[in-house]
Amino acid sequence: MTDKNNIHYGADQIQVLEGLEPVRKRPGMYIGSTGERGLHQLVYEVVDNSIDEALAGYCDTISVTINEDNSVEVVDNGRGIPIEKNKKTGKSTLETVLTVLHAGGKFDNNAYKVSGGLHGVGVSCVNALSDYMIAEVDWEGKKYRQKYEKGIAKSEVQYICETEETGTKITFFPDPTIFDSIEFNYSILKHRMRELAFLNKGIKINLEDKRNDIKDKFHYEGGIKQFVQFLNKKKDAIHDDIIYKEGKRDKVLVDISIQYTNSYSENIYSFVNNINTIEGGTHLIGFKTALTRVINDYAKKYNLLKENDVAITGEDIREGITAVLSIKIPDPQFEGQTKTKLGNSEVRGIVDNITGEALGIYCEENPKTAKIIIEKSMRSARARVAARKARDLARRKGALDSMSLPGKLADCSERDPKLCEILIVEGNSAGGSAKEGRDRRYQAILPLRGKILNVEKSRIDKILNSEEIKNMITAFGCGIGKEFNISKLRYHKIIIMTDADVDGAHIRTLLLTFFYRYMKELITGGHVYAAQPPLYRVRKGKFEKYVYSDSELNSILKEIGRDNKIEIQRYKGLGEMDPEQLWETTMNPADRILLRVNEDDVISADETFSMLMGDKVAPRREFIEQNARYVKNLDV
């Protein structure tokens, strides 16, 4: 067969990738990316195998160690991986599991009733993407060892010695030719190991970083009940006890834990077989349905809702809730773009039934708490109605109509959102310079007057009355909260441009809190950035350079020498720069430094915003005391 350019195209042009070749050829298809997220996914996949052993009842301790050379070691006290020959492959079961895609006990419900991981491709993928991997197995009284390089066995399974232990030890070193960086982040691993320990009560998970001599141990007999307690440690709970229920129907294990706080945000985390289902699914629908029904039924039964009261919706009832929903299911069916949305239809009714029964009993036995929750829901309902009226009034006046943009906004001429960016600039002075210095074709400028409202301490009606917030909502064009529609976003880059001082950092945090709570898809979609303005301008003769950190300044001063001819200008604010300087240092895509705001750890992000912007002073003071030593430039 030939194409129109007469280039031969036949069987010899078709590539057949064997073994683990497809993984090395297209690693992103298997672990998501070759960046930081994909690198840490390697650890999760090995740990998931150990967790599966724990779920099956054969393992209670898992140890994860980052070695000094940046290799990672995962050890468990499970059954170990069998070493006898596999009939289909002719290789040992150990080598088969580590070198063949979709090989392992996860596909046989007799071996594992439930399992997490990347649908059976995990540990072999880790092997394929590692410079080397060493597997050590304690199996039936003997210790065995096998080494692999880039997914290929470099030795037979070797007998080492007799042993009374059982379990598996996997050591791997990521392939530096595959990953952008092979430096593991202890904090990222710590969050996930702690999460796994919460979700699998009783399991001990040890984490150690030999590079920095750091150790942590995670062990929670209370499981997700302690998880909710942990999530709310920097919030004010409106009832002391935590609502908890564990139930099982038709082989589906359901774990529910709930506590309300005085905050205005909804924080429900759902998991299926330890996988964070960030897109929700049938289990979450069942949970929310039961919550709404039970609270409404209780309010009506005891006449807590009067005829003239505003009807409370599910949204009102979930205001201030912190909940963890964890289910374990033999055959989860995932859907959605990121494969983190549960699709099993039967699960909705199971979760609804167990949640409804548990909440109904709790409300009857704890009428005081039930009344507090209903009163909070009613306040939310009244605020929601007030917000709707304010929104309708604003629309009639044209304030929220995308055809009537804010007067402060200097819009760009380009109309393709993918090519447009909006810079949210602190202060009118910097806003004026930015408007003059920008590229009018694709850069829009929206100046902010002072600090915006702290949405962590405000209900939606008050938020919609804030002039600065209304201006942003209108400029972005995609609505807010439940009405948010990412497809209507007018700029695919939203750049926060604040001063490099304490006030600038505070404004940036206020903005990010607003985006995270009411426009989360801006962050999850990768549309939010923080500009990095320079801290200094260094001049010596014809030499001139803008400097963005103290370490960079010290390096330059060492290079050019310190003497009286050096002129160092410290920038306290963007307003000190003229339009040309602002363009050159902070706005020009060819030279500027932008940091993309991401949401790799949702729970950590929620914890941070609650701590920095919430009502509790003690956690904020503790954070400042712990991190004060890292502050280099403090404006007082």
Side-chain angles (χ1 to χ4, degrees):
M1 183 175 71
T2 57
D3 66 7
K4 62 183 179 182
N5 293 316
N6 295 319
I7 297 173
H8 180 69
Y9 177 74
D12 54 342
Q13 269 69 53
I14 303 296
Q15 279 189 312
V16 179
L17 301 178
E18 297 181 351
L20 296 176
E21 283 184 77
V23 183
R24 292 186 61 81
K25 192 85 172 173
R26 297 283 185 269
M29 288 178 61
Y30 295 87
I31 58 165
S33 78
T34 54
E36 186 178 64
R37 184 179 295 185
L39 178 71
H40 292 82
Q41 186 65 41
L42 298 183
V43 182
Y44 306 155
E45 289 306 319
V46 181
V47 172
D48 278 337
N49 272 17
S50 300
I51 291 287
D52 289 341
E53 279 289 281
L55 292 176
Y58 297 103
C59 164
D60 64 10
T61 304
I62 302 165
S63 297
V64 180
T65 305
I66 308 171
N67 294 317
E68 289 178 3
D69 66 351
N70 225 51
S71 63
V72 172
E73 200 175 274
V74 179
V75 183
D76 69 51
N77 64 346
R79 292 169 292 184
I81 302 172
I83 55 90
E84 64 261 22
K85 189 173 286 189
N86 182 279
K87 291 178 183 177
K88 289 184 180 178
T89 64
K91 302 173 182 177
S92 70
T93 302
L94 174 62
E95 187 174 338
T96 300
V97 167
L98 293 180
T99 61
V100 179
L101 289 176
H102 307 293
K106 295 185 182 185
F107 295 96
D108 179 0
N109 283 345
N110 295 319
Y112 292 111
K113 289 184 173 63
V114 296
S115 67
L118 282 174
H119 315 297
V121 301
V123 74
S124 56
C125 281
V126 178
N127 195 5
L129 301 176
S130 295
D131 191 55
Y132 70 82
M133 175 184 279
I134 300 169
E136 293 180 31
V137 175
D138 295 330
W139 175 258
E140 295 187 342
K142 295 174 182 173
K143 183 184 288 291
Y144 299 91
R145 183 180 188 273
Q146 189 170 29
K147 184 173 182 179
Y148 309 84
E149 291 179 7
K150 297 177 174 61
I152 299 169
K154 290 297 175 182
S155 68
E156 295 296 322
V157 177
Q158 297 172 336
Y159 163 77
I160 305 297
C161 62
E162 300 290 313
T163 180
E164 294 181 2
E165 304 296 323
T166 62
T168 304
K169 176 181 174 182
I170 299 289
T171 305
F172 70 91
F173 184 81
D175 189 341
T177 66
I178 296 283
F179 293 94
D180 303 342
S181 166
I182 57 167
E183 282 288 319
F184 286 98
N185 184 314
Y186 185 83
S187 178
I188 291 174
L189 293 177
K190 179 180 175 179
H191 283 299
R192 179 56 178 163
M193 295 308 113
R194 181 173 56 205
E195 186 176 85
L196 286 170
F198 278 129
L199 294 169
N200 301 277
K201 62 182 177 183
I203 293 178
K204 301 181 187 76
I205 301 181
N206 304 315
L207 180 63
E208 182 179 0
D209 186 349
K210 288 186 176 178
R211 301 168 305 180
N212 302 300
D213 195 25
I214 309 170
K215 291 181 181 179
D216 277 289
K217 292 185 177 182
F218 307 108
H219 179 220
Y220 306 105
E221 289 293 345
I224 65 167
K225 191 173 182 179
Q226 281 181 267
F227 199 174
V228 167
Q229 193 175 35
F230 169 79
L231 292 168
N232 282 346
K233 69 180 180 180
K234 290 166 184 171
K235 301 175 185 176
D236 288 312
I238 61 175
H239 56 102
D240 294 331
D241 56 334
I242 293 174
I243 304 166
Y244 177 76
K245 176 67 176 178
E246 185 178 36
K248 189 175 183 181
R249 305 276 159 83
D250 299 330
K251 298 183 180 178
V252 178
L253 184 67
V254 180
D255 226 0
I256 303 159
S257 192
I258 302 167
Q259 188 180 42
Y260 278 86
T261 71
N262 66 356
S263 73
Y264 304 117
S265 56
E266 169 191 327
N267 294 293
I268 302 175
Y269 304 102
S270 64
F271 299 85
V272 175
N273 297 359
N274 299 321
I275 297 167
N276 189 348
T277 45
I278 55 175
E279 292 181 278
T282 51
H283 59 320
L284 187 58
I285 293 170
F287 174 80
K288 288 181 176 180
T289 302
L291 184 69
T292 304
R293 184 183 66 253
V294 170
I295 297 298
N296 265 303
D297 287 351
Y298 185 88
K300 289 170 186 173
K301 181 179 178 180
Y302 293 100
N303 295 315
L304 298 175
L305 278 176
K306 309 303 178 188
E307 271 189 39
N308 295 329
D309 283 334
V310 176
I312 55 175
T313 66
E315 184 184 355
D316 301 322
I317 291 166
R318 295 191 300 273
E319 183 191 272
I321 194 174
T322 299
V324 175
L325 166 65
S326 175
I327 75 164
K328 305 281 172 48
I329 181 171
D331 187 24
Q333 303 298 317
F334 292 108
E335 54 187 53
Q337 189 175 358
T338 57
K339 302 297 181 188
T340 51
K341 182 178 182 181
L342 187 69
N344 299 60
S345 58
E346 74 279 8
V347 170
R348 176 176 177 172
I350 292 170
V351 175
D352 185 330
N353 190 276
I354 292 173
T355 304
E357 188 178 288
L359 279 171
I361 293 170
Y362 179 87
C363 288
E364 293 293 344
E365 293 179 350
N366 300 271
K368 188 177 177 182
T369 302
K371 190 177 179 183
I372 290 170
I373 293 170
I374 289 164
E375 285 172 350
K376 181 173 174 61
S377 302
M378 289 169 70
R379 288 193 296 273
S380 173
R382 288 192 286 269
R384 175 174 49 79
V385 171
R388 190 186 69 225
K389 288 178 179 176
R391 195 184 282 118
D392 291 344
L393 181 64
R395 281 207 182 97
R396 283 197 295 273
K397 291 180 177 179
L400 292 180
D401 184 348
S402 62
M403 298 302 291
S404 176
L405 294 170
K408 283 187 173 185
L409 175 70
D411 207 2
C412 53
S413 56
E414 177 62 58
R415 287 295 170 260
D416 182 352
K418 292 175 185 174
L419 304 176
C420 298
E421 58 186 46
I422 183 169
L423 293 99
I424 301 172
V425 185
E426 173 189 353
N428 288 327
S429 175
S433 291
K435 285 178 182 178
E436 280 189 56
R438 68 184 173 130
D439 187 323
R440 286 171 165 76
R441 292 172 300 164
Y442 62 90
Q443 289 181 321
I445 307 294
L446 182 64
L448 288 181
R449 187 181 60 200
K451 294 173 183 176
I452 72 161
L453 181 73
N454 181 358
V455 301
E456 196 73 9
K457 296 181 179 179
S458 309
R459 274 203 171 92
I460 188 67
D461 54 334
K462 189 176 179 183
I463 291 167
L464 286 175
N465 279 324
S466 162
E467 197 62 35
E468 301 300 316
I469 286 178
K470 277 196 291 189
N471 285 342
M472 282 191 287
I473 295 168
T474 309
F476 297 168
C478 47
I480 183 176
K482 285 187 76 175
E483 296 180 355
F484 184 85
N485 184 347
I486 195 74
S487 69
K488 294 184 178 180
L489 183 62
R490 299 181 66 245
Y491 314 92
H492 277 209
K493 266 190 181 153
I494 296 169
I495 301 169
I496 300 169
M497 204 163 87
T498 57
D499 293 344
D501 61 6
V502 173
D503 281 343
H506 190 201
I507 291 168
R508 187 164 58 247
T509 306
L510 286 165
L511 285 166
L512 289 174
T513 305
F514 168 57
F515 295 156
Y516 181 80
R517 294 300 187 202
Y518 293 96
M519 298 178 165
K520 193 179 282 188
E521 281 186 74
L522 291 182
I523 294 176
T524 57
H527 297 295
V528 181
Y529 297 79
Q532 297 294 291
L535 288 174
Y536 306 98
R537 181 176 64 177
V538 179
R539 274 181 174 175
K540 184 179 180 181
K542 292 183 178 180
F543 176 87
E544 181 180 77
K545 189 173 179 66
Y546 292 100
V547 181
Y548 294 82
S549 69
D550 284 322
S551 58
E552 188 185 356
L553 176 66
N554 290 331
S555 297
I556 288 170
L557 292 179
K558 280 181 184 178
E559 185 182 323
I560 65 174
R562 298 172 183 262
D563 56 43
N564 294 328
K565 294 178 182 178
I566 293 179
E567 179 190 332
I568 302 174
Q569 182 180 358
R570 164 78 163 98
Y571 290 111
K572 286 198 171 185
L574 297 169
E576 294 180 14
M577 297 184 200
D578 60 35
E580 188 177 333
Q581 288 176 323
L582 198 55
W583 164 260
E584 190 178 337
T585 62
T586 317
M587 296 170 65
N588 184 355
D591 301 309
R592 69 188 178 187
I593 298 172
L594 290 183
L595 300 179
R596 177 180 278 180
V597 179
N598 59 45
E599 193 201 22
D600 280 346
D601 193 319
V602 180
I603 293 167
S604 175
D606 177 69
E607 183 188 351
T608 303
F609 288 128
S610 296
M611 174 191 61
L612 294 176
M613 297 288 108
D615 288 320
K616 272 199 172 182
V617 175
R620 188 156 50 246
R621 184 173 60 241
E622 183 185 336
F623 175 83
I624 292 167
E625 287 170 354
Q626 288 177 352
N627 292 278
R629 65 183 184 275
Y630 301 120
V631 175
K632 299 291 185 186
N633 296 291
L634 182 64
D635 289 350
V636 180

